[in-house]
Amino acid sequence: MLIADEPLANLDKQKFQLRKRGLEGLVTERLVKAEATKRGITEDQLLKAEIDDKIPAPPEEKIKEVFEGAKGQLPPGATYEQMKPQIVDFLSGQQKQEAAQKFFDSLRAGANVKYELPEPPRPPAERKQVAATGPAKGPENAPVTIVEFSDFQ
């Protein structure tokens, strides 16, 4: 591979990943819309029922523990009651992401979604034929020959 080809190959890979994520997002949006229509509710109501309502509220002790641990990073004068909603959002955020992923995966599985976005071709590894003459170690018929070029000046 030529040195100039490597950045182009990386850009092609990034382009592929962005296209794939965009396609997955579009498919997920359409599946959510179709499921909401099928149930006769709005998309927001569907997401609330399938994700938000299935996440239990964090225990009061855990909220207080996070508040006490973050006191040094909070604005001066911030009270527990002021920060509680933000702490609850923080603590339940990870669980919501996992529940959303499970729900979206189940929608994709139910719809039998398959992506056929072609991956970018891999640049071929460039091989050069070099006469291996001169001092050598190992058998003449070795499957791999390593040739070292050096300049002692």
Side-chain angles (χ1 to χ4, degrees):
M1 177 187 324
L2 297 174
I3 301 294
D5 288 346
E6 191 172 324
L8 293 176
N10 288 339
L11 286 174
D12 283 341
K13 187 174 181 180
Q14 288 175 357
K15 184 172 113 178
F16 168 76
Q17 290 170 344
L18 287 171
R19 290 177 71 195
K20 184 177 179 186
R21 271 189 257 141
L23 180 61
E24 288 171 348
L26 181 64
V27 167
T28 300
E29 283 178 26
R30 290 192 178 175
L31 289 172
V32 167
K33 186 175 185 173
E35 183 68 19
T37 303
K38 186 171 106 178
R39 294 186 189 185
I41 57 177
T42 67
E43 294 172 44
D44 289 338
Q45 289 171 330
L46 174 67
L47 295 175
K48 184 177 182 318
E50 290 294 329
I51 299 167
D52 294 342
D53 292 350
K54 293 185 177 182
I55 304 298
E60 194 70 27
E61 303 83 45
K62 182 69 175 171
I63 298 170
K64 287 180 181 178
E65 180 183 317
V66 170
F67 178 76
E68 293 299 324
K71 268 188 176 177
Q73 300 169 351
L74 297 176
T79 65
Y80 173 75
E81 292 304 319
Q82 291 172 328
M83 300 307 295
K84 184 177 178 178
Q86 294 171 350
I87 295 171
V88 169
D89 288 344
F90 170 75
L91 291 174
S92 59
Q94 179 76 23
Q95 292 177 316
K96 284 183 182 181
Q97 285 180 350
E98 290 171 8
Q101 190 62 48
K102 284 181 184 177
F103 176 61
F104 298 151
D105 288 345
S106 71
L107 287 177
R108 284 188 210 104
N112 198 22
V113 174
K114 292 181 182 169
Y115 300 102
E116 294 186 8
L117 188 64
E119 289 198 36
R122 296 176 126 192
E126 197 170 311
R127 291 184 178 201
K128 297 284 183 188
Q129 293 294 329
V130 179
T133 59
K137 289 185 178 181
E140 291 269 336
N141 59 351
V144 176
T145 303
I146 299 175
V147 179
E148 177 182 352
F149 296 92
S150 59
D151 184 0
F152 296 110
Q153 289 185 348

